[in-house]
């Protein structure tokens, strides 16, 4: 009798652990992919979009009242992506994620305290000559950053903090002057 109770107790615990592991391994990436699909339908690909309230892009915003967000879903199947970023004076961060929500690359105002830079995303090992040509097409290569994503699709999120309405307006203006296009365009 006790061995039957022990069996069912162990079975119940193992089933609960298995169900919990399945949930944490599969549900969050699926939820993230669903958000990306909605944003893609609303905004398109390889195009920067401000995350304003009431849009699908706003679903990515963690702190919508305190931070200004811009998003760019990317597809590198036709070539590298170039982000010409103009960043505000206050805190900002740029993150590149894969479609499962995994972080590929991050950069913030403390690591790159410059007003403007170009970020190039490649899905695999790029041709060195292509990198030089892309950097020369926008100016000094000192302000160019190359990232190998290891994936053809993902999302770039740029966020900026604002302590007041004036800073929020500056953040929005800087992000509106940021572009996300194929490097060959």
């Amino acid at each position: 009798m006790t061995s039957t109770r022990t069996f069912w107790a162990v079975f119940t615990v193992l089933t609960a652990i298995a169900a919990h592991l399945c949930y944490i391994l599969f549900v969050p990436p699926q939820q993230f992919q669903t958000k990306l699909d909605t944003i893609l339908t609303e905004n398109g690909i390889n195009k920067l979009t401000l995350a304003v309230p009431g849009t699908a892009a706003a679903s990515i915003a963690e702190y919508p009242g305190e931070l200004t967000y811009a998003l760019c879903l990317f597809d590198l199947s036709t070539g590298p992506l170039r982000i010409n970023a103009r960043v505000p004076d206050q805190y900002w961060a740029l993150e590149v994620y894969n479609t499962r929500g995994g972080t590929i690359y991050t950069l913030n105002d403390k690591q790159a305290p410059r007003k403007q830079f170009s970020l190039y995303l490649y899905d695999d090992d790029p041709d060195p000559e292509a990198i030089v040509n892309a950097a020369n097409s926008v100016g000094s290569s000192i302000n160019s950053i190359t990232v190998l994503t290891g994936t053809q699709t993902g999302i770039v999120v740029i966020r900026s903090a604002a302590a007041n309405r004036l800073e929020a307006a500056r953040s929005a203006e800087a992000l509106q002057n940021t572009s996300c296009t194929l490097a060959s365009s």
Side-chain angles (χ1 to χ4, degrees), residues 130-154:
I131 293 174
V132 171
N133 290 339
N136 289 336
S137 72
V138 293
S140 172
S141 61
I142 293 172
N143 288 333
S144 296
I145 302 164
T146 299
V147 176
L148 303 179
T149 64
T151 183
Q152 287 190 342
T153 58

Side-chain angles (χ1 to χ4, degrees), residues 29-68:
Q30 183 58 42
Q31 289 173 334
F32 189 71
Q33 184 62 51
T34 301
K35 284 182 182 182
L36 295 183
D37 291 342
T38 305
I39 293 167
L40 176 63
T41 302
E42 193 174 278
N43 300 306
I45 198 87
N46 298 333
K47 176 182 154 192
L48 193 79
T49 302
L50 281 179
V52 295
T55 64
S59 68
I60 296 292
E62 294 175 43
Y63 307 102
E66 301 168 11
L67 299 172
T68 304

Side-chain angles (χ1 to χ4, degrees), residues 58-110:
S59 68
I60 296 292
E62 294 175 43
Y63 307 102
E66 301 168 11
L67 299 172
T68 304
Y69 290 82
L71 312 171
C72 179
L73 285 169
F74 64 84
D75 182 354
L76 306 176
S77 61
T78 57
L81 186 78
R82 177 179 65 215
I83 298 169
N84 286 329
R86 289 172 180 62
V87 292
D89 294 333
Q90 64 269 16
Y91 166 81
W92 60 267
L94 179 144
E95 291 102 6
V96 180
Y97 298 101
N98 63 24
T99 55
R100 294 182 49 86
T103 304
I104 296 171
Y105 180 77
T106 63
L107 183 70
N108 64 40
D109 62 320
K110 301 297 182 208

